[in-house]
Structure formats: structure tokens, C-alpha cells
């Protein structure tokens, strides 16, 4: 699928009636560190729209707070294809299945409520749309949820596109 420019992504968000949104961007304290990433510009961009909040990691039962996770060996698309994995940064504990399950839950929510656009938190190993943490550094690529949504036909937009 052709990669959209930032302008095209923002235009898709502007035209969307229903938007799947990373819950932390709406002020939910659901991040791994127990904090939120509430954003005025996100709230402004969503004015008048139907919002479907999702947090793939808490949806998969990982809890709040939870150990930070990064991707190992590749970004979200490679995780979905079984060529990379998700693991806790400190302990190395494998979290691939939870990340895949969280992504499936987000996709199911998008389908149930008819969202064709997702507004997601940049650089998260689940939600990052342009960049994510792989092997200790931020690389160009998507988190696991963003990759599944994008390959399922949704337009993924990040808070940093706004
Ligand atoms: S970035 Fe995604 S997985 Fe992380 S807290 Fe926000 S909604 Fe949850």
C-alpha cells in the first residue's frame, strides 16, 4: 500500500467520522509508567467526531504500571510475521503474544465501530506509526498495533502529525 504523506494522513483524520484513538492521548493514565499523554491538540482534532479509545497493552492484560517493553529484531510488521518479538526491557521476558492480542483487540474495536482512521501515540512499541523502539533505539517503523491496523486498511495518524 502506498505510504501517505503527513498532509494526506491529517486530511484523512479531518474527514473521518469515527476515529480509533490511543487512550493515553485522551488523558487515560494507561501508559507503562502509570502516566497519560493527554494532549490539547489531539482533543481539538477530535472535536465533533465519534471516538473509540483503545489501549492495546492494558487490553491484553499487561496492567498499569507495567515493565517497559521494546521490540527485538524488527518492528511491528516483523512481529506480526513471526520474525521479531516484543520483550520487557529489563527482564527480557517475552511479551509477543500479549502485544499481538492487544493489536487484535484494537482491530476488533475498529471494525465493530466502523473506524477507518486511527490516531495513535508515536514511538510506542504498540502504537507508534512512523517510529518505534527496536533493540534499544528508535527506528523508522510501526508498533505492533499500528502495523496490524495499517495492513488491515486503516489510515494510521500520529499525535506528532498534528
Ligand atoms: S501508546 Fe498505546 S499501548 Fe501505550 S499506553 Fe498509549 S494506548 Fe496504551
Amino acid at each position: 500500500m502506498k505510504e501517505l504523506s503527513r498532509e494526506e494522513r491529517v486530511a484523512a483524520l479531518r474527514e473521518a467520522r469515527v476515529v480509533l484513538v490511543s487512550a493515553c492521548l485522551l488523558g487515560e493514565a494507561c501508559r507503562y509508567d502509570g502516566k497519560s499523554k493527554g494532549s490539547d491538540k489531539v482533543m481539538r482534532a477530535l472535536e465533533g467526531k465519534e471516538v473509540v479509545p483503545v489501549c492495546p497493552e492494558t487490553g491484553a492484560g499487561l496492567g498499569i504500571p507495567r515493565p517497559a517493553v521494546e521490540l527485538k529484531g524488527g518492528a511491528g510488521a516483523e512481529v506480526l510475521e513471526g520474525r521479531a518479538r516484543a520483550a520487557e526491557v529489563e527482564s527480557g521476558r517475552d511479551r509477543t503474544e500479549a502485544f499481538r492480542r492487544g493489536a487484535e483487540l484494537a482491530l476488533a474495536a475498529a471494525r465493530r465501530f466502523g473506524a477507518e482512521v486511527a490516531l495513535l501515540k508515536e514511538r510506542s512499541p504498540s502504537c507508534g506509526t512512523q517510529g518505534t523502539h527496536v533493540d534499544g533505539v528508535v527506528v523508522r517503523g510501526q508498533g505492533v498495533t499500528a502495523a496490524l491496523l495499517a495492513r488491515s486498511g486503516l489510515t494510521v495518524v500520529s499525535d506528532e502529525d498534528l
Side-chain angles (χ1 to χ4, degrees), residues 6-161:
R6 173 178 169 271
E7 288 71 24
E8 289 169 322
R9 295 194 295 271
V10 171
L13 175 63
R14 204 178 302 124
E15 286 160 22
R17 184 180 59 83
V18 185
V19 184
L20 192 81
V21 186
S22 293
C24 58
L25 292 177
L26 298 169
E28 287 292 331
C30 55
R31 277 167 47 96
Y32 74 96
D33 57 5
K35 296 181 179 165
S36 79
K37 279 285 179 181
S39 156
D40 289 343
K41 66 182 179 180
V42 165
M43 300 310 280
R44 278 197 298 276
L46 294 172
E47 265 173 28
K49 300 185 184 301
E50 291 180 34
V51 170
V52 183
V54 290
C55 176
E57 294 175 24
T58 56
L62 290 177
I64 308 169
R66 54 189 173 274
V69 167
E70 66 175 3
L71 306 184
K72 299 275 191 191
E78 286 75 42
V79 174
L80 293 173
E81 290 155 11
R83 293 188 282 119
R85 62 194 186 91
E88 292 180 4
V89 174
E90 289 287 321
S91 69
R93 184 174 178 185
D94 192 278
R95 291 299 196 185
T96 307
E97 275 317 300
F99 268 55
R100 285 168 165 270
R101 194 162 65 246
E104 294 285 353
L105 288 170
L107 178 60
R111 291 207 164 128
R112 175 166 184 189
F113 293 101
E116 293 178 353
V117 173
L119 176 56
L120 303 175
K121 176 74 191 77
E122 196 56 279
R123 287 187 298 281
S124 151
S126 291
C127 294
T129 70
Q130 301 288 311
T132 192
H133 293 266
V134 177
D135 298 322
V137 290
V138 175
V139 303
R140 188 165 165 72
Q142 296 177 323
V144 179
T145 292
L148 182 65
L149 295 175
R151 72 169 47 177
S152 302
L154 276 83
T155 299
V156 292
V157 186
S158 99
D159 55 314
E160 296 183 6
D161 285 332

